[in-house]
Amino acid sequence: METAPAQSDQPKSFSIKLWPPSEKTRLMLVEGMTKNLSTESIFSRKYGLLTVEEATEHAKNIEDTCFKSACEHFDREPDGDGSSAVQLYAKETSKLMLEVLKKGPKSKEEKDIIIDSPKQKVFDISQGKRSFIEAEEAKELLTPLTEKGNGYSKIIFSNRSFGIEAAKLAEPILASLKDQLKEVDISDFVAGRPEDEALEVMRIFSSALEGCILNYLNLSDNALGEKGVRAFGSLLKSQHNLEELYLMNDGISEEVAKALTELIPSTDKIKVLHFHNNMTGDEGAISIAELLKSSPLLENFRCSSTRVGSEGGIALVEALKGCEHLKKLDLRDNMFGVEAGLALSKTLEKLNDISELYLSYLNLEDKGAIAVLEAIEKYLPKIEVLEMAGNDITVKASKALASCISSKKMLKKLVLSENELKDEGAVRIATALEDGHVELREVDLSSNMIRRVGARSLARAMAKDKPKLTMLNINGNYISDEGIDEVKEILKEDLLGPFDENDVDGEEDDGDEDEEAEEEEEEEEEEEKEDVDAKLEKLKVNDE
């Protein structure tokens, strides 16, 4: 774990980051799994005992697989300290260990790189540590692909860096599979290579795969730039049936985005399109918008961390109006601003199937946030995940926020961290979440200037009929020690996030604000009591 100073407006607090774990921690986990997998147990008596060598191999593969999965989770759904990624990491390692124990020792004929499923046969060489591959190793690794009738429909070459000679050896093998390949993952497959060599490897793979009728293509993590995208030109131009395209962390600038619109012949069947972590900017976003206009079947669009400002943001959300099948929209960490937020609110009127909406760090401010929230309340009946962290949302927008939340009974996750909702906003949100939200799993109002009253109100709401709740995060606020004790009495401690960033002193105490929040909470409790009394009185009348 590493510690880092918190934000400047909270000088006394510190951030403890749980993710990613250190290399030492990962190695210790592998050692522990190796010991467990190779020790006598009820599983070994029933299925056979693994050798230390087998156990070590399995442990390394399990840890690497789960580490990648948790990294992707943290990338998709950053939660500050990474606690949810740690939970996923631990849960998945335990699950895969159990599968290995139940399977027992491998037979000599089994190959790790073959994964069978009811729908397809997958050839995967991505497991283990990242490594450079030259011709001799490539020949050995790819041998199963040369066997007649091998039946592979998906290949995963990521995490292995191909040199030119290895690529040349792979070229005829891949070309021989053109009629059967449906999914190709060549993300992160030239890491550490000089630019000229990497571009030549891309051209070789592109030529070999040209003409495959693919429905899935992943070219992420290859630092493509315009040269790289054009190196894949022949492959991209031959694709008319793509349903999923991933171009994340590829250095996609304005020029690259424009090149993509020229090279991709058709997106009319695209359902998943991801551009996360690029330097697209406004002009690049305008080019991507052209792809969106011809993607009527799009269900999952991600354009997060792409340096898109107001002009590009407006272009993107305007283009999304035609994507009426959209279920998941992720625009996090851009510089949209209020005007793009207003444009987004108009687009949401058309996107009634959205269930997951990620709008954190878009500079929406109150005006943009209110417009978006009103649209969500009116037009998105299926919403399950709503993230609007870091948008400068204040108490002014809390009524619209509470009204929207109150109507979304299927909500599973709500993230409003790093705003300025204070106690008044927290009390309103707590009231909105009190009744009927039985699917709720996670609520995050960390770093919102919340004090004792707001924290207590949120805890009470979470303690009421929330059978699936796993986390209430109110860290990074100004809750007194007494307030923390009250919260822990109201809600089970294992459902509370940490309080390591909480500042018990906070800013200068605003007595008026606390009194107003107290009065609002008391009024709501009194109204609830009166409502209960009225219902009881009605029951008495009916009994008579």
Side-chain angles (χ1 to χ4, degrees), residues 520-533:
E520 185 165 342
E521 186 182 27
E522 287 171 5
E523 284 173 10
E524 284 159 359
E525 287 177 359
E526 186 62 33
E527 286 174 7
E528 183 179 353
K529 183 178 181 299
E530 288 173 2
D531 187 46
V532 171
D533 288 343

Side-chain angles (χ1 to χ4, degrees), residues 281-330:
D282 280 348
E283 293 300 321
I286 291 170
S287 293
I288 293 172
E290 293 304 309
L291 293 177
L292 296 178
K293 289 176 183 177
S294 58
S295 307
L297 300 182
L298 192 64
E299 296 179 3
N300 182 334
F301 178 59
R302 184 179 189 186
C303 194
S304 52
S305 302
T306 48
R307 305 183 188 180
V308 177
S310 181
E311 183 184 2
I314 291 171
L316 284 176
V317 299
E318 288 282 349
L320 285 168
K321 283 182 178 178
C323 305
E324 296 185 4
H325 297 281
L326 203 64
K327 293 179 174 63
K328 183 175 180 179
L329 177 60
D330 186 347

Side-chain angles (χ1 to χ4, degrees), residues 399-432:
K399 285 186 178 179
L401 188 51
S403 180
C404 175
I405 293 168
S406 179
S407 67
K408 304 305 167 188
K409 303 301 184 185
M410 299 305 293
L411 203 61
K412 295 179 179 177
K413 182 176 182 181
L414 177 65
V415 177
L416 299 168
S417 55
E418 296 186 53
N419 285 300
E420 299 175 18
L421 290 167
K422 301 186 177 179
D423 273 4
E424 186 179 340
V427 169
R428 284 179 175 153
I429 290 164
T431 303

Side-chain angles (χ1 to χ4, degrees), residues 182-183 213-217 239 241-245:
K182 299 298 178 187
E183 299 187 20
I213 304 174
L214 302 177
N215 54 47
Y216 172 104
L217 179 60
Q239 299 308 306
N241 292 277
L242 277 179
E243 295 180 8
E244 299 185 41
L245 177 61

